């Protein structure tokens, strides 16, 4: 096997266990002597807790223990925290209210955790929870983010007057104002980015365990980043020293961001395990996931674009209110700021940008990163307003975009990012061809003859991933670095174990990482094992999110550099040649210009038997590690084109064609990459047409709390996508990769809504474009026309 | 507690359950067949699909005691003599899974679908997947896998 395995659609190594029912997810694990936990949650959006009486519940059948916020406070267990400091424009630090792992004297959203009930069975724990008497004093709830900062609105946290966490800005205000002063045309648009509920198919789960003999805790948890969980639970919450806490994230059934965060339940189960001297297991029911997983998006935005007489963009001003929910989740502050404002330049030359973001508390579930995190919101703003500008100027949206594309690289935007490489015309051209955009007018006419409305929408997007250069994110307020680690261990028989800090929860790392190793070392794929997800095996890592597997893979690649260098030295001794004369090709170490050679496994064996080289100069063994800190973000970009057909009688919108052409740089496994695009686009179409997390404006009850009310995209809601790829290899990593996990969700909502507004002939349309909303719009327009 | 007896993947099994115990919990907890998953509490995700007396059933929608005497097949029972069922093989070949959580339910639904409907086209497959949610794949490769398995099994029967 040679390097050619990189870039091929190798079938996945991990599939066998999943298709045969042998996956091992957290809820599949049972620990000896384990008891079951159920969390009593607040039924009110906002209330004072006057008292909690657990006596009857404690006496119920099977109950092992019940703990409340008072027990947490007595043990001085710290609150959950947000690890990214954002500073307001007036220089003040963000205003964070405490988020205790079990509520103190107040609850702030429906689903807020009040008590853990531990019993012999899950059913008994749930039954007993019903017997807990909580005396609440209900308080008025703040639900609508647009009014959270109003004078007279109820206050959630004393630390944050007017429920305002920060008022952040980025870009250049005077220059942007000047751009608007000299503008020939101004375009303005109101946008909402609807609240989404992530809904990974595996609900969250945790098993906490305490070993009295060693004083060590173990937590099995549905996490995208077990090392970060360990760090936070140890350093910030103070449950145990880091070396006395092992965190295992076994198979994880999807994350999409929602399993990045450190949640109360996993902390409380681990803490309680010591209290009850038994392992404590909790698995969320789907209704709990709806209530208590961190939600996504939820922005209200007003955007304005300034244009000169030649339709060139002069400036962009964006004002956004971001709803962060009742508490600040682990990375919530960064999502509507550094992951959002920095992407507002899109693929365009925009000389001046000013973005202002107010983040507010409301009595709703915490909001944090969800697939794309900030970048879908940014793309929605820029791609909607660019489309609207073209319409207002009566220009072809494609020509308008081309007029404003960035074409020289590197390109410094006014909002931090330095785009390293790209070819936006190439992906636009390829997408138009694949979508047969040229014949769209004929298709529209044909649909019209059938009484249907067709629309075409573009989204030429860019995103920043490969999170992230540590110094850069540090200067922006991140509490951690975002490098990645890898350790490559070669066994004496020449097979390879790779320990990575990245985590796989559907991305296929066990295959793609192995492809890189097998290709590089010229050994069979079967001889490579990828090990991840356990703090006991992997030293440290930052996990997987933000399409950052490229960072993990570069770390692997760097460790392989070191392996190769050492192996060459060993081979030189064994072959009695100079190390400088050793070449490594196709899995063999050769003395250049001779037929003397050693296979990779022979060198591995020599490394361990250590008979043929001076161990005073070369240490025995073959194991190397690397920490890779990227030098820049990576900038995947591309063009998505959506074609919809609307039935004016029912308001049903069907996506009839969806084309995605993406530039992810070099690709390790096209099959896996296509799968990532399919899934991302499905979530984006879901956001645009179907999904909406809705709270009752008065009571703060979650109205969309189950699959009966929250519309998940199903197979017959979606088309078969047409995919294409263009390639500009990324210059900032040796593999030339950019990352592919989020592009689908980032690009597609704008394409869909641009198509819907095109079909309906309206300027603004709030997601999701449900049949009811579409039908109402059509009828309002009809009535207005009559 | 009532006891219940049934045949699961060809083996006679029995156990004590609460009356309210769902079939899925009996399979997962009593028999430790954890391939069958629970993804919701409103019978809408299909992660729990198994076959009961030859029909696809959401095992979260049935009490264990209702399966008394039944023939139950779970995803663990599909592989015969170490050989993957054609639907399992097709899911791998066509990348019909990512995180794998919906996969056992998808596969059991697909096997049932192929058995019931001789000529499966894309539209029918998408409609038939009404009861199964996947958050990872966007369904495209699941549809492709089922179409391919259906063709292959038809070829094998002919
Ligand atoms: S668990 Fe049975 S349908 Fe969701
Ligand atoms: S593969 Fe993850 S839910 Fe379907």
């Amino acid at each position: 096997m040679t390097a050619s395995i990189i870039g091929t659609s190798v079938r996945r190594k991990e599939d066998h266990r999943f298709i045969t029912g042998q996956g091992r997810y957290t809820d599949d694990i049972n620990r000896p002597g384990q008891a079951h936990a159920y969390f009593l949650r607040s039924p009110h959006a906002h209330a004072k807790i006057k008292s909690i009486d657990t006596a009857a519940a404690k006496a119920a059948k099977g109950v092992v223990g019940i703990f409340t916020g008072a027990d947490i406070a007595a043990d001085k267990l710290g609150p959950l925290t947000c690890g990214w400091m954002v500073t307001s424009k007036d220089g003040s630090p963000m205003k964070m209210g405490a988020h205790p792992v079990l509520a103190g004297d107040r609850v702030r959203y429906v689903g807020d955790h009040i008590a853990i009930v531990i019993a012999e069975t899950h059913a008994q724990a749930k039954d007993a929870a019903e017997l807990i008497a909580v005396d609440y004093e209900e308080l008025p709830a703040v639900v609508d983010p647009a009014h959270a900062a109003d004078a007279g609105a109820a206050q959630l946290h004393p630390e944050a007057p007017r429920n305002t966490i920060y008022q952040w800005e980025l870009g250049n205000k005077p220059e942007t104002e000047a751009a608007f002063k000299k503008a020939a045309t101004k375009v303005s648009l109101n946008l909402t980015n609807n609240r989404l509920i992530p809904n990974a198919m595996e609900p969250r789960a945790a098993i906490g365990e305490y070993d009295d003999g060693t004083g060590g805790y173990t937590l099995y948890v549905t996490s995208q980043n077990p090392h970060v969980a360990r760090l936070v639970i140890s350093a910030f919450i103070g449950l145990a020293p880091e070396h006395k806490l092992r965190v295992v994230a076994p198979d994880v059934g999807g994350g999409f961001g929602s399993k990045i965060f450190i949640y109360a339940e996993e902390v409380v189960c681990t803490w309680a395990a010591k209290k009850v001297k038994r392992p404590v297991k909790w698995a969320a029911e789907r209704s709990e996931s709806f209530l208590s997983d961190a939600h996504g998006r939820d922005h209200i935005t007003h955007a304005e674009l300034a244009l000169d007489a030649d339709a060139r963009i002069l400036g962009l001003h964006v004002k956004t209110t971001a709803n962060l929910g009742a508490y600040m989740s682990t990375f919530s502050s960064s999502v509507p700021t550094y992951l959002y404002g920095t992407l507002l330049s899109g693929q365009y030359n925009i000389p001046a940008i000013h973005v202002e973001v107010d983040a507010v508390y409301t009595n709703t579930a915490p909001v944090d990163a969800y697939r794309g995190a900030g970048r879908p919101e940014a793309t929605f703003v820029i791609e909607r307003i660019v489309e609207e500008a073209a319409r207002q100027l009566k220009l072809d949206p494609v020509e308008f975009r081309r007029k404003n594309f960035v074409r020289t690289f590197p390109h410094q935007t006014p909002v931090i990012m330095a785009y390293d490489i790209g070819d936006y015309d190439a992906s636009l051209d390829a997408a138009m061809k694949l979508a047969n955009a040229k014949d769209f007018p004929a298709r529209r006419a044909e649909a019209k003859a059938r009484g249907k409305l067709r629309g075409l929408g573009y989204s030429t997007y860019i995103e920043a991933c490969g999170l992230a250069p540590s110094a850069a994110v540090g200067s922006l307020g991140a509490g951690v670095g975002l490098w990645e680690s890898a350790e490559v261990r070669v066994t004496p028989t020449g097979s390879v174990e790779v320990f990575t800090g990245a985590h796989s929860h559907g991305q296929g790392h066990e295959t793609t990482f192995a492809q890189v190793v097998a290709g590089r070392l010229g050994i069979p794929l079967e001889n490579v094992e990828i090990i991840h997800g356990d703090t006991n095996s992997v030293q440290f890592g930052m996990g997987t999110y933000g399409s950052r597997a490229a960072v993990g893979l570069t770390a692997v690649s760097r460790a392989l550099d070191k392996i190769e260098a050492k192996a060459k030295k060993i081979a030189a001794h064994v072959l009695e040649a100079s190390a400088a004369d050793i070449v490594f090709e196709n899995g063999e170490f050769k003395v250049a210009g001779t037929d003397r050679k050693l296979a990779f496994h022979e060198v591995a064996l020599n490394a361990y038997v250590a008979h043929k080289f001076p161990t005073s100069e070369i240490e025995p063994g073959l194991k190397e590690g690397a920490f890779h800190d990227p030098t820049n973000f990576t900038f995947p970009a591309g063009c998505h084109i959506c074609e919809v057909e609307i039935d004016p009688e029912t308001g049903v919108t069907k996506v009839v064609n969806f084309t995605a052409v993406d530039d992810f740089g070099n690709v390790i496994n096209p099959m896996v990459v296509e799968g990532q695009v399919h899934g991302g686009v499905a979530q984006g179409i879901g956001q645009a047409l179907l999904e909406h997390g809705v709270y009752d404006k008065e009571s703060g009850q979650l109205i969309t709390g189950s699959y009966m009310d929250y519309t998940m995209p199903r197979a017959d809601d979606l088309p078969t996508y047409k995919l294409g790829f263009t390639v500009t290899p990324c210059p900032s990593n040796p593999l030339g990769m950019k990352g592919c996990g989020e592009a689908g969700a980032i690009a597609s909502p704008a394409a869909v809504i641009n198509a819907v507004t095109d079909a309906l002939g309206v300027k603004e349309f709030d997601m999701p474009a449900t049949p009811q909303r579409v039908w109402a719009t059509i009828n309002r327009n009809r009535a207005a026309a009559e | 507690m009532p006891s219940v007896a049934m045949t699961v993947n060809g083996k006679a099994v029995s156990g004590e359950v609460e009356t309210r115990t769902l079939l899925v919990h009996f399979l997962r907890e009593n028999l430790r067949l954890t391939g069958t998953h629970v993804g919701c509490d409103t019978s809408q995700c299909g992660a729990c699909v198994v076959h009961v007396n030859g029909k696809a059933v959401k095992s979260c929608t049935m009490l264990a005691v209702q399966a008394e005497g039944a023939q139950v097949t779970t995803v663990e029972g599909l592989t015969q003599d170490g050989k993957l069922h054609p639907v399992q093989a097709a899911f791998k070949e066509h990348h019909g899974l990512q995180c794998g959580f919906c996969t056992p339910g998808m596969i059991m639904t697909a096997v049932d679908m192929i058995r019931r409907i001789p000529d499966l086209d894309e539209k029918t497959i998408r409609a038939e997947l009404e009861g199964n949610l996947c958050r990872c794949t966007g369904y495209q490769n699941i549809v492709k896998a089922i179409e391919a398995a259906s063709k292959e099994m038809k070829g094998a029967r002919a």
Side-chain angles (χ1 to χ4, degrees):
Chain A
M1 219 166 276
T2 65
S4 67
I5 191 172
I6 299 173
T8 63
S9 292
V10 174
R11 299 306 184 259
R12 299 199 321 170
K13 284 160 72 91
E14 47 270 79
D15 282 356
H16 182 77
R17 67 177 185 274
F18 296 132
I19 57 180
T20 53
Q22 298 178 94
R24 193 160 176 264
Y25 302 89
T26 302
D27 192 28
D28 298 340
I29 298 168
N30 278 347
R31 300 296 302 159
Q34 130 194 319
H36 296 263
Y38 182 79
F39 282 85
L40 178 71
R41 296 177 187 278
S42 171
H44 302 296
H46 199 188
K48 258 197 193 118
I49 296 181
K50 297 203 316 207
S51 66
I52 303 178
D53 182 355
T54 57
K58 277 185 174 146
K61 192 171 167 218
V63 170
V64 174
I66 297 180
F67 304 98
T68 66
D71 302 298
I72 296 290
D75 272 14
K76 299 199 171 50
L77 210 57
L80 299 168
T81 189
C82 175
W84 194 307
M85 176 54 71
V86 167
T87 305
S88 284
K89 35 189 153 185
D90 67 4
S92 62
M94 67 187 189
K95 303 182 170 66
M96 177 158 48
H99 188 187
V101 290
L102 290 175
D105 59 359
R106 235 193 231 214
V107 281
R108 294 183 176 86
Y109 69 99
V110 174
D112 207 350
H113 19 85
I114 295 173
I116 182 173
V117 182
I118 305 165
E120 296 298 338
T121 70
H122 175 258
Q124 286 171 339
K126 203 172 169 182
D127 289 346
E130 299 247 328
L131 301 174
I132 298 178
V134 184
D135 190 4
Y136 296 101
E137 179 189 324
E138 276 190 73
L139 300 169
V142 179
V143 180
D144 184 352
H147 295 291
D150 287 358
Q155 291 295 295
L156 268 79
H157 297 276
E159 296 85 350
R162 292 214 162 178
N163 298 317
T164 301
I165 300 164
Y166 52 72
Q167 294 187 295
W168 175 85
E169 68 176 344
L170 184 67
N172 191 319
K173 188 175 175 189
E175 277 179 36
T176 308
E177 281 169 355
F180 277 89
K181 279 215 185 82
K182 65 174 184 219
T185 308
K186 292 175 203 169
V187 180
S188 73
L189 204 57
N190 292 309
L191 301 147
T192 56
N193 207 293
N194 42 330
R195 178 182 275 250
L196 301 177
I197 305 180
N199 274 302
M201 289 316 300
E202 178 204 24
R204 286 193 293 119
I207 308 171
E209 195 169 340
Y210 179 70
D211 181 337
D212 189 53
T214 64
Y217 291 89
T218 302
L219 166 64
Y220 299 87
V221 64
T222 48
S223 171
Q224 299 175 220
N225 37 213
H227 290 87
V228 177
R230 179 169 78 157
L231 176 66
V232 170
I233 295 171
S234 171
F236 296 96
I237 295 172
L239 176 66
E242 213 174 343
H243 62 286
K244 288 294 184 192
L245 175 61
R246 173 185 177 199
V247 179
V248 185
D251 285 330
V252 173
F256 317 113
S258 69
K259 291 171 182 167
I260 295 172
F261 323 120
I262 316 310
Y263 287 95
E265 295 88 352
E266 59 215 43
V267 177
V268 175
C269 282
T270 314
W271 167 81
K274 183 175 178 185
K275 294 267 170 207
V276 301
K277 300 189 172 65
R278 291 170 66 172
V280 175
K281 179 180 192 172
W282 169 76
E285 297 177 3
R286 179 59 58 184
S287 315
E288 290 182 274
S289 310
F290 273 102
L291 289 176
S292 71
D293 288 4
H295 295 180
R297 320 277 194 255
D298 211 348
H299 284 193
I300 306 167
T301 294
H302 179 75
E304 291 179 327
L305 198 65
L307 302 150
D308 72 8
D310 189 31
R312 280 182 212 281
I313 302 173
L314 297 173
L316 171 69
H317 178 242
V318 175
K319 175 94 179 69
T320 294
T321 302
N323 184 358
L324 294 193
Y327 300 98
M328 293 188 72
S329 171
T330 317
F331 289 113
S332 60
S333 56
S334 65
V335 176
T337 52
Y338 292 105
L339 294 174
Y340 170 69
T342 52
L343 263 299
L344 283 168
S345 193
Q347 296 189 348
Y348 313 104
N349 267 306
I350 307 184
I353 297 179
H354 183 226
V355 49
E356 299 172 273
V357 180
D358 290 359
V360 295
Y361 281 121
T362 60
N363 293 110
T364 62
V367 177
D368 205 327
Y370 167 64
R371 201 170 196 168
R375 290 152 293 173
E377 295 90 317
T379 303
F380 193 65
V381 171
I382 185 70
E383 285 306 299
R384 284 287 295 117
I385 200 162
V386 159
E387 191 86 14
E388 178 52 31
R391 287 176 194 169
Q392 202 169 309
L393 295 171
K394 304 216 173 351
L395 289 175
D396 176 2
V398 170
E399 289 324 307
F400 178 76
R401 283 179 167 85
R402 286 199 204 273
K403 201 179 250 293
N404 289 285
F405 271 167
V406 170
R407 288 200 181 80
T408 45
F409 297 93
H411 172 81
Q412 178 64 53
T413 72
V415 280
I416 299 177
M417 293 300 179
Y419 302 165
D420 51 5
I421 199 167
D423 184 345
Y424 309 143
D425 290 290
S427 45
L428 175 57
D429 290 341
M432 288 180 71
K433 206 163 157 208
L434 213 53
N436 189 11
K438 162 168 106 332
D439 293 339
F440 173 71
R443 294 197 295 276
R444 173 178 257 174
E446 184 276 335
K448 193 169 176 207
R450 286 184 284 112
K452 303 287 197 298
L453 305 169
R454 276 223 176 190
L456 194 72
Y458 290 83
S459 173
T460 51
Y461 77 97
I462 184 162
E463 60 151 324
C465 55
L467 301 181
S470 297
V473 295
S475 71
L476 304 181
V480 291
L482 287 172
W483 43 265
E484 194 46 86
S485 76
E487 185 175 298
V488 175
R489 296 185 196 166
V490 181
T491 66
T493 53
S495 57
V496 176
E497 294 168 317
V498 178
F499 295 76
T500 167
H503 187 272
S504 186
H505 32 279
Q507 295 88 343
H509 290 172
E510 289 171 41
T511 307
T512 54
F513 278 48
Q515 277 178 265
V516 169
V517 176
R520 175 73 183 272
L521 298 180
I523 60 176
L525 197 66
E526 309 77 82
N527 290 6
V528 184
E529 195 70 22
I530 307 299
I531 293 143
H532 65 89
D534 185 342
T535 59
N536 260 18
S537 336
V538 177
Q539 189 230 334
F540 198 85
M542 301 309 298
T544 297
Y545 41 82
S547 307
R548 65 189 304 278
V551 186
L553 271 171
T554 304
V556 171
S557 171
R558 291 220 170 162
L560 289 171
D561 290 343
K562 297 184 191 175
I563 292 277
E564 187 179 317
K566 182 169 181 187
K568 271 185 179 161
K569 281 192 213 159
I570 293 169
H573 279 281
V574 178
L575 295 168
E576 295 175 342
S578 140
D581 292 336
I582 302 288
V583 290
F584 181 53
E585 319 172 320
N586 300 331
E588 289 175 333
F589 294 87
K590 292 181 190 148
V591 182
T594 73
D595 60 0
R596 282 183 295 145
K597 61 186 183 186
L598 283 177
F600 180 75
H601 68 91
E602 292 172 307
V603 176
L605 187 63
N606 270 290
Y608 285 92
V609 297
H611 294 164
K612 294 192 178 159
F613 55 88
T615 51
S616 56
E617 283 169 35
I618 305 171
E619 287 178 20
L622 199 51
K623 173 185 102 160
E624 299 288 351
F627 283 71
H628 169 65
D629 196 21
T631 53
N632 193 358
F633 296 87
T634 63
F635 298 96
C639 174
H640 288 202
I641 302 178
C642 177
E643 186 168 336
V644 298
E645 184 168 300
I646 294 173
D647 182 343
E649 300 309 316
T650 60
V652 170
T653 302
K654 266 213 109 51
V655 175
V656 286
N657 280 309
F658 197 99
T659 307
V661 173
D662 299 287
D663 177 356
F664 296 137
N666 293 338
V667 158
I668 309 290
N669 185 321
M671 173 190 84
V672 167
V673 168
E674 285 175 14
Q676 288 291 315
V677 177
H678 294 161
V681 170
Q683 288 178 354
I685 294 177
Q687 164 161 34
L689 296 183
L690 306 165
E691 299 181 38
H692 196 186
V694 183
Y695 282 90
D696 180 80
K697 286 250 188 293
E698 295 299 316
S699 67
Q701 292 295 327
L702 180 63
I703 294 174
T704 53
S706 81
Y707 291 142
M708 316 274 280
D709 319 289
Y710 187 90
T711 318
M712 292 274 281
R714 290 180 187 266
D716 60 357
D717 294 316
L718 299 168
T720 295
Y721 319 112
K722 291 183 202 151
L723 264 46
F725 297 96
T726 55
V727 179
T728 57
C730 177
S732 69
N733 66 65
L735 298 161
M737 308 168 53
K738 299 183 183 177
C740 66
E742 297 165 296
I746 288 170
S748 55
V752 178
I753 297 300
N754 282 339
V756 169
T757 49
D758 180 45
L760 296 177
V762 298
K763 177 175 170 179
E764 287 167 355
F765 201 100
D766 285 347
M767 298 188 284
T770 58
Q772 187 251 338
R773 284 181 173 184
V774 171
W775 187 86
T777 301
I778 291 170
N779 282 278
R780 213 179 305 122
N781 289 355
R782 266 188 199 155
E786 272 158 20
Chain B
M1 276 206 284
S3 64
V4 62
M6 63 188 87
T7 306
V8 177
N9 300 333
K11 267 204 285 226
V13 297
S14 60
E16 305 251 297
V17 293
E18 284 190 69
T19 331
R20 62 179 167 181
T21 302
L22 300 171
L23 176 59
V24 66
H25 290 132
F26 177 72
L27 295 170
R28 285 181 56 84
E29 297 304 330
N30 292 52
L31 307 181
R32 296 299 289 148
L33 291 169
T34 54
T36 305
H37 297 152
V38 181
C40 74
D41 44 16
T42 50
S43 286
Q44 279 165 320
C45 75
C48 62
V49 171
V50 301
H51 296 174
V52 177
N53 296 329
K55 277 196 188 138
V57 165
K58 287 180 170 170
S59 61
C60 73
T61 312
M62 191 171 172
L63 297 169
V65 290
Q66 287 176 297
E68 174 70 31
Q71 296 277 345
V72 177
T73 309
T74 71
V75 70
E76 290 93 342
L78 274 189
T79 311
Q80 296 291 333
D81 305 324
K83 204 174 162 305
L84 292 179
H85 187 282
V87 173
Q88 289 173 311
F91 267 68
K92 174 167 180 170
E93 176 60 26
H94 297 280
H95 191 30
L97 62 147
Q98 289 181 25
C99 78
F101 195 79
C102 71
T103 310
M106 285 285 178
I107 289 177
M108 297 312 283
T109 298
V111 170
D112 177 73
M113 188 192 306
I114 292 169
R115 190 155 50 204
R116 282 185 294 109
I117 307 168
D119 288 301
L120 278 173
D121 56 13
E122 184 194 330
K123 200 164 178 257
T124 315
I125 296 170
R126 287 188 183 268
E128 285 284 322
L129 286 176
E130 182 57 32
N132 292 72
L133 285 175
C134 172
R135 193 56 152 168
C136 297
T137 63
Y139 302 99
Q140 185 148 325
N141 287 342
I142 292 177
V143 173
K144 227 162 97 187
I146 298 174
E147 220 174 341
S150 156
K151 285 215 178 81
E152 193 197 320
M153 288 167 72
K154 211 165 144 191
R157 278 196 298 267

